[in-house]
Amino acid sequence: MFATDKAGYAAMRQRVRGWPERVWAVEGSNGAGRPLAQRLLADGEHVVDVPAKLSARARLLDTGHNRKTDAHDAHAVAEVAVRTQGLRVLSYDGELEALRMLADRREELTRQRVQTVNRLQRLLSELTPGKAKKDLTALQAKGILASMRPRDLGRQDPATPRGRAADRGLSRWRRRSRRSPRSSR
């Protein structure tokens, strides 16, 4: 087995130099195996994609169970590659890879934006109970926050259960602080 760093990749490539007409079989070249497949293709290697279902089936038939270990997994992928005709042959397209990376980044940014908006909605609904809007813009959120004063943040509407609980907690804290004043140090 080889490490997944640059040294491991170099050692793996060195190990196979004796077979000039080699073909690499990578399981899941559109998923977890994509970085390895793309790196091999960029280095001029021939790569085929082995679907995960086929290698899982080979693992099951070979060992009697479908447990995934590195050794069993590598053997199953190689077995499928040798025995199966019509596996997808991969090719390197730098522009396509750049577009794929941009699309992935856009998806990450979109997820992050949705998460941020949801967090803002939750916080605003806690700070201003009953005034929550479903489709809130950044300017509307800014306006809501600008209309609030720091002293308003501690106040809760006493008509709500949360407000009554906050009032009880505040009253208890005040009683305790009157009974046992802290010494200043």
Side-chain angles (χ1 to χ4, degrees):
M1 296 297 151
F2 300 96
T4 58
D5 57 3
K6 286 183 181 182
Y9 181 76
M12 180 182 71
R13 295 279 317 273
Q14 182 64 35
R15 180 84 172 264
V16 298
R17 291 222 191 274
W19 294 279
E21 295 182 29
R22 61 187 167 266
V23 175
W24 295 85
V26 177
E27 180 183 23
S29 65
N30 280 334
R34 186 164 128 202
L36 176 62
Q38 290 301 312
R39 192 164 182 187
L40 288 167
L41 288 168
D43 288 340
E45 297 286 348
H46 300 287
V47 182
V48 294
D49 177 35
V50 175
K53 282 186 176 183
L54 289 180
S55 61
R57 194 173 299 145
R59 231 180 359 261
L60 176 64
L61 294 173
D62 183 41
T63 62
H65 55 77
N66 198 15
R67 287 189 216 119
K68 242 177 121 100
T69 66
D70 288 344
H72 287 141
D73 203 28
H75 185 262
V77 170
E79 207 172 286
V80 169
V82 168
R83 294 182 179 178
T84 306
Q85 296 294 318
L87 289 177
R88 188 168 63 103
V89 177
L90 303 178
S91 61
Y92 185 73
D93 184 349
E95 291 174 354
L96 180 62
E97 188 60 22
L99 283 174
R100 187 175 286 145
M101 289 170 64
L102 287 171
D104 288 349
R105 179 65 179 144
R106 182 174 189 260
E107 186 178 323
E108 289 170 5
L109 289 172
T110 301
R111 256 189 262 128
Q112 185 179 14
R113 181 188 178 278
V114 167
Q115 187 179 33
T116 302
V117 167
N118 289 342
R119 189 179 307 128
L120 178 63
Q121 283 278 39
R122 180 181 53 79
L123 290 171
L124 283 175
S125 69
E126 289 177 8
L127 291 173
T128 59
K131 297 180 184 176
K133 293 180 69 176
K134 190 170 190 168
D135 298 319
L136 188 68
T137 66
L139 286 176
Q140 290 169 335
K142 183 178 178 182
I144 291 171
L145 289 173
S147 70
M148 298 188 72
R149 297 177 185 204
R151 67 171 184 255
D152 296 339
L153 297 179
R155 292 187 182 160
Q156 295 285 334
D157 182 6
T160 65
R162 186 178 181 154
R164 286 190 296 274
D167 281 347
R168 282 191 306 270
L170 188 58
S171 297
R172 275 187 295 235
W173 178 77
R174 284 182 182 149
R175 280 194 306 271
R176 286 183 195 139
S177 63
R178 273 188 251 136
R179 279 188 234 150
S180 58
R182 294 181 184 197
S183 61
S184 58
R185 295 181 188 184

